[in-house]
C-alpha cells in the first residue's frame, strides 16, 4: 500500500510522454499573448519607441526587444 511509504505526503506521477499537453493548451493565454505581441509590433512599426512600448505594456526593455525581433522574423518568413 502506498500509504505505508508516503503517509500524508504529496507524490508526483508524471504523464506518459504521449499525453503531455503544450503550454497554454487549456486556456486562452497563448492566443492572448500572441495577439498582444502582434499589437506591440504594430505599435513599433507605427513609430513608438521600444522604451515607450516597454512602459505601455509593463514589460522590460529586453522583453520588448525580444518580442519585436520575434515578430519581425515571423513576418519575414
Amino acid at each position: 500500500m502506498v500509504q505505508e511509504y508516503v503517509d500524508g505526503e504529496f507524490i508526483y506521477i508524471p504523464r506518459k510522454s504521449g499525453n503531455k499537453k503544450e503550454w497554454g493548451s487549456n486556456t486562452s493565454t497563448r492566443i492572448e499573448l500572441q495577439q498582444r505581441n502582434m499589437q506591440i509590433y504594430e505599435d513599433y512599426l507605427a513609430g513608438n519607441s521600444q522604451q515607450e512600448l516597454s512602459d505601455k505594456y509593463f514589460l522590460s526593455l529586453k522583453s520588448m526587444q525580444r518580442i519585436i525581433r520575434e515578430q519581425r522574423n515571423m513576418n519575414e518568413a
Side-chain angles (χ1 to χ4, degrees), residues 30-55:
R30 178 179 243 157
I31 293 169
E32 291 170 7
L33 288 176
Q34 289 173 342
Q35 291 171 342
R36 181 205 65 186
N37 291 350
M38 287 189 307
Q39 184 61 52
I40 287 172
Y41 189 60
E42 289 174 11
D43 290 350
Y44 175 73
L45 292 177
N48 293 289
S49 72
Q50 292 180 5
Q51 186 61 54
E52 290 170 333
L53 296 172
S54 177
D55 295 340

